[in-house]
Amino acid sequence: MKRSIVFVHGTGVREESYNSTFSTVRTRLHEIQPGWEVKGCLWGPSQGARFIPGDAPIPGYVESGGGKQAVERDASIAEWGVLYHDPGYELRLLGLRPVPKTGVVRGVPPTKGFLVAVQGYRPSPELLDRLDRHGLRADFATALSSVADSPELRAAANTVDHNGYEHRHAVARSVVAATLSAAQARGADALAGPARDALLAALSTELSGESRALSGKVGQAVKTSALRAATRWAVGRRGALSDSALPMVGDILRYQARGDGIRQLIQRTVEDAPGDKVTLLAHSLGGVACVDLLAKEPLDRVDQLITIGSQAALLYACGALTGLEHPDTLPAHFPAAWLNIHDPWDLLSYTAAEVFKDRVYEVQVSNGQPFPHAHSAYWSNAEVWSAVREWLG
């Protein structure tokens, strides 16, 4: 019997990343069985989300940096990698900027207001509770003191404008990076991406919105100014920020609204695959599409399904799975052999065995990465391929 494997990628994937992943998948599958035909189903470019401005673009979108000029995400690996080794990096860059022309200043000068607010800052009880939950209070206190006394902060203060939002956000990133670096140096567990970003958001909000060292009308003015500046900053970059989130979030939204195209492409790929039997190997949203397709359509040659980092169980449980309405059970024509691999640290990965009773063989792995990196780390994880090899065998 000759078998083909059809690989279906997940959300946010386009040509470059797909080519790299598919090469890895094909190599590992050929190590398990050299005679298997491995076919890919690249749906991202044709069926994934993309911005189409047309003749009447959304006001404030293209003009503000949309299209191909999307900015990097604030929490990218590259940025945080630099900050972990050099927490004062962004403040140093701000210090190299030209001194802004402020004109006649009434009240507290921007430089003094910025330094007083940062050096006089005391974390709120809510933030201290968050730090305690992660065991980071002592590390945070040391980091905050170090940044507040740093030459990078003093140099950055000379270039702060009247609202100082960007500078205060850079302070928050510097403090968080120094906190996590200190925790890692003493052997503490790394903080997952979402938890780190939540800590950053809380600190940035307090630094930007609360000038505890300033009081009365001046403090309220600083708070209002910071919030307005944050809004202006986001509105001015609406297109770029939307573009940066479009591939991943947009693919999910488009699939829920226009999922037939992906499912048809998967079905056509299966039909064109050679051999007597076909195994579908699907990641993330690709797994959702495969479950939907197999629940709706009998594909006689597909006798095996492998989902990795999939949200199919979640969507079914909340009534959002297109191919199967809750609480209906999987139809008889659905493949009897279904392997679901998940990583508890991958927040887009869900167990399925308890949801689809007696229809799923479950394997839990650890990619050794925090979210979101855990969601794309399956293909280099030996545990994953060991589970696939054992199950296919």
Side-chain angles (χ1 to χ4, degrees), residues 286-297:
V288 174
C290 287
V291 171
D292 277 335
L293 173 62
L294 294 172
K296 292 166 69 71
E297 300 289 340

Side-chain angles (χ1 to χ4, degrees), residues 178-213:
T179 298
L180 299 184
S181 294
Q184 184 178 21
R186 62 176 173 81
D189 291 335
L191 199 63
R196 177 201 61 206
D197 294 343
L199 176 60
L200 172 65
L203 176 58
S204 183
T205 298
E206 291 191 6
L207 284 172
S208 298
E210 292 188 28
S211 301
R212 294 174 180 270

Side-chain angles (χ1 to χ4, degrees), residues 139-194:
D139 300 308
F140 179 86
T142 301
L144 179 61
S145 176
S146 176
V147 172
D149 293 335
S150 68
E152 290 87 352
L153 179 73
R154 292 192 293 273
N158 293 325
T159 68
V160 73
D161 58 16
H162 68 281
N163 60 68
Y165 172 78
E166 187 175 4
H167 285 62
R168 293 172 197 240
H169 187 65
V171 170
R173 285 166 62 85
S174 178
V175 172
V176 170
T179 298
L180 299 184
S181 294
Q184 184 178 21
R186 62 176 173 81
D189 291 335
L191 199 63

Side-chain angles (χ1 to χ4, degrees), residues 113-127 163 165 168 201-216 218-227:
F114 172 72
L115 286 174
V116 169
V118 173
Q119 294 175 340
Y121 166 74
R122 298 295 181 270
S124 69
E126 293 79 9
L127 185 59
N163 60 68
Y165 172 78
R168 293 172 197 240
L203 176 58
S204 183
T205 298
E206 291 191 6
L207 284 172
S208 298
E210 292 188 28
S211 301
R212 294 174 180 270
L214 305 178
S215 61
V218 175
Q220 182 61 35
V222 171
K223 178 177 179 179
T224 302
S225 176
L227 292 175

